[in-house]
Amino acid sequence: MERQELEAFLALAEELHFGRTASRLGLSAGRMSQVIQTLERRVGVPLFERTSRRVTLTPVGERLRDDLLPARRIIDEALARAVAAGRGFTGTLRIGYSSSMAANLLLKAIETFRGTYPDCDVTIQEIQLSDPYGPLRREQVHLQVTELPMDEPDLVAGPVLYSSDRALLVPSSHPLARREAVSLEDLAHETLLTIGGSAPQHWLDYNFPRRTPSGRPIPQGHAAISWQEIPFLIAAGEGVSLACTDAEPHYSTPGVTWIPLQEPHPCRFAPIWPKHSTTSRVRAFIETLRHTAPTRRP
């Protein structure tokens, strides 16, 4: 059976109308009839019963349709895999995340992506905030989901996927722990624990500010290498710090109280990747993230 005969037969078996089938396949009505007649001569019996009002499959036509459909699916799947391989959807896609919230964003997206591109393996790894862009630049990951802002000439930030309000973490014995909400101005009287390493200053100034909105200096305390250290330092009375309110279920620590901030100062998460390596795999995964991310965005 020729490929055109296969396409014409299966399409007509579905449409049961010569005119619609011809239009669907981009053939003239005469050419469509000719292809089916050629196939029927090859088989030796009619495959369709034609009247002036309708087209139906003969018993032999029904059997041929049922026998061909599984093979057609195999062919289509093989072609889809070939197209995916040609577009770069094979191999391994390495993705980084900076926090549990970012990891949660990835989990559903990875499940969806693997269903669409089963030949592309996806791995994830945690990115320390003390070296937020190093793994990207060392090509240890192809992209990552992390907190904004990002202002790096060699990197690209995609759309904001998720936004969370901000909280101040204080020792549970601290006077502020009895408050229902606090202001960034309150930080002028506290020691703010921050992140060290190679985190860029513009990122630190937003997430761990050095001044209050009115311009008063905020005392800076210990600069941790990993954010996971900070709740334990707070419980030990070393200072206070800021975090996303949605992080509390992941990082709740005995002796630490989370207090909402009064001012809008959200944590925003977005995909980030190197400008020089925007591959088809990266673009496909970012599109998957956009469709699977929660609707809670600024």
Side-chain angles (χ1 to χ4, degrees):
M1 180 182 290
E2 300 291 339
R3 176 64 184 267
Q4 188 179 51
E5 294 172 355
L6 171 64
E7 296 284 354
F9 170 75
L10 290 175
L12 184 57
E14 181 179 339
E15 298 283 353
L16 295 177
H17 190 283
F18 272 85
R20 287 197 301 268
T21 305
S23 177
R24 171 175 161 181
L25 299 179
L27 300 175
S28 68
R31 178 58 183 158
M32 180 67 202
S33 294
Q34 183 183 11
V35 171
I36 295 300
Q37 288 169 4
T38 300
L39 177 59
E40 288 179 326
R41 286 196 297 270
R42 186 192 303 275
V43 176
V45 295
L47 300 174
F48 297 92
E49 292 181 356
R50 308 158 177 83
T51 70
S52 59
R53 302 184 61 180
R54 65 174 187 164
V55 176
T56 58
L57 283 161
T58 65
V60 175
E62 290 180 352
R63 176 63 182 271
L64 180 61
R65 177 201 59 193
D66 294 343
D67 287 344
L68 286 176
L69 281 175
R72 171 65 181 274
R73 283 193 291 269
I74 292 172
I75 292 171
D76 288 344
E77 290 169 1
L79 287 172
R81 286 193 295 271
V83 170
R87 292 177 177 174
F89 295 153
T90 57
T92 300
L93 181 64
R94 300 185 297 276
I95 304 173
Y97 64 93
S98 60
S99 65
S100 294
M101 290 77 68
N104 288 340
L105 290 175
L106 288 174
L107 292 179
K108 186 176 180 181
I110 289 173
E111 181 181 1
T112 301
F113 187 83
R114 284 172 172 163
T116 307
Y117 306 110
D119 292 331
C120 183
D121 187 29
V122 182
T123 64
I124 61 173
Q125 69 180 66
E126 185 174 6
I127 306 297
Q128 295 298 331
L129 294 178
S130 56
D131 185 23
Y133 310 131
L136 278 176
R137 289 172 172 147
R138 293 190 293 271
E139 299 182 352
Q140 294 171 351
V141 295
H142 297 110
L143 76 154
Q144 65 188 56
V145 175
T146 193
E147 293 90 341
L148 297 176
M150 195 280 292
D151 184 17
E152 303 292 319
D154 60 326
L155 303 177
V156 179
V160 173
L161 301 170
Y162 180 74
S163 180
S164 169
D165 294 329
R166 190 90 58 161
L168 180 67
L169 281 63
V170 303
S172 297
S173 59
H174 195 288
L176 290 176
R178 296 188 291 273
R179 301 256 295 267
E180 292 186 359
V182 294
S183 169
L184 287 171
E185 294 295 334
D186 292 318
L187 292 178
H189 307 292
E190 306 297 333
T191 298
L192 184 67
L193 303 177
T194 67
I195 293 292
S198 61
Q201 194 59 53
H202 71 269
W203 186 90
L204 290 169
D205 286 343
Y206 181 81
N207 292 287
F208 301 93
R210 292 180 290 179
R211 293 188 176 277
T212 69
S214 68
R216 293 189 294 169
I218 299 173
Q220 303 285 293
H222 177 76
I225 297 300
S226 166
W227 193 88
Q228 284 82 348
E229 302 173 38
I230 289 180
F232 297 101
L233 293 170
I234 293 170
E238 296 293 324
V240 303
S241 196
L242 294 166
C244 305
T245 55
D246 290 348
E248 184 173 3
H250 304 282
Y251 299 112
S252 180
T253 305
V256 176
T257 298
W258 296 59
I259 316 166
L261 278 185
Q262 295 171 349
E263 300 96 334
H265 193 69
C267 302
R268 294 187 177 96
F269 294 87
I272 294 173
W273 65 96
K275 185 179 296 183
H276 70 274
S277 59
T278 309
T279 65
S280 55
R281 280 181 302 186
V282 168
R283 287 193 295 268
F285 191 82
I286 292 168
E287 190 63 21
T288 303
L289 273 172
R290 286 182 63 251
H291 288 293
T292 56
T295 56
R296 186 181 173 190
R297 305 179 197 177

